[in-house]
Amino acid sequence: DILPPPEYIIESYLISYEIDQTSDKDAITGLEKKGAALRQEYENRQAYWKENYADGNIKNLLTVDSSRYARDFFDIRDREFLPAIRSGSREAAHAILIGKMKPLYESHRSVIDEIVAAQTVKNGEDERLVADVIRRRVALEAIFAAFALAISVGASLFISVRVVRGLSALKTSLREIA
């Protein structure tokens, strides 16, 4: 969810550069639509993670810290950069892209790097916990298997002894009759 979008705004950032570099109005319109769709995907995933991710440092980094930079980026793109492009103020648009949007993207990227590092540590911890659970479960199943085997052997011996005694008694009775 982080690399690439929707949570990591690199594609939105690159689309802004594409818009900055093209003068084809149809291409710009298509890129604007794609950028708007990426923003919507971003907002949808933000809502999902706010609702579904466990509270803690990673959730805070994801839904507060990186989000602040991303939303500021989107707001500047939609309220300043794109209107400058539409009005033909290419130099002003480029200055907005480099002066305002790029630092926001870089700050967002920095937080995303923190999230990736923190999630990597968390994944390692989760893997160790799962391995521990598996080892305990295997040990418990081995104990239950040994217990079941002991009960089976004990029951077999008990039944065998009872059958042998019965046959021995029958043998004795048949000798007496003979």
Side-chain angles (χ1 to χ4, degrees):
D1 217 16
I2 291 174
L3 300 171
E7 287 299 322
Y8 179 36
I9 64 168
I10 190 169
E11 192 171 355
S12 295
Y13 181 59
L14 294 174
I15 285 173
S16 298
Y17 270 94
E18 285 185 66
I19 291 170
D20 183 56
Q21 297 299 309
T22 187
S23 56
D24 180 347
K25 290 185 189 241
D26 291 336
I28 291 171
T29 301
L31 291 168
E32 283 185 49
K33 287 179 184 176
K34 189 172 182 181
L38 288 170
R39 183 176 190 168
Q40 187 58 53
E41 287 177 28
Y42 177 84
E43 295 297 343
N44 291 343
R45 294 312 289 171
Q46 279 290 302
Y48 174 82
W49 288 120
K50 281 181 182 177
E51 183 72 26
N52 294 295
Y53 202 88
D55 288 341
N57 182 49
I58 294 175
K59 182 177 184 175
N60 190 58
L61 287 169
L62 185 64
T63 62
V64 177
D65 296 349
S66 75
S67 178
R68 177 180 68 236
Y69 297 119
R71 286 190 171 116
D72 287 349
F73 173 92
F74 287 132
D75 288 344
I76 290 171
R77 181 196 67 189
D78 296 346
R79 293 184 185 150
E80 297 178 37
F81 174 74
L82 292 175
I85 291 289
R86 287 185 207 113
S87 72
S89 303
R90 290 246 171 233
E91 288 180 22
H94 186 75
I96 292 166
L97 179 62
I98 300 302
K100 292 182 176 181
M101 294 168 64
K102 183 179 180 183
L104 289 169
Y105 165 75
E106 289 171 349
S107 295
H108 170 77
R109 168 66 188 259
S110 176
V111 177
I112 291 297
D113 290 343
E114 282 183 63
I115 293 168
V116 171
Q119 190 64 47
T120 300
V121 169
K122 184 180 181 308
N123 288 349
E125 292 168 358
D126 290 348
E127 287 173 4
R128 283 188 292 282
L129 288 172
V130 167
D132 225 18
V133 167
I134 290 171
R135 274 192 296 276
R136 282 191 227 132
R137 182 163 183 156
V138 167
L140 188 60
E141 287 176 2
I143 291 169
F144 282 135
F147 183 70
L149 181 63
I151 288 176
S152 296
V153 168
S156 295
L157 287 174
F158 176 76
I159 291 170
S160 296
V161 168
R162 299 276 303 211
V163 168
V164 168
R165 281 187 189 157
L167 288 176
S168 184
L170 179 63
K171 181 180 168 185
T172 303
S173 294
L174 289 174
R175 257 196 202 141
E176 288 175 5
I177 293 173

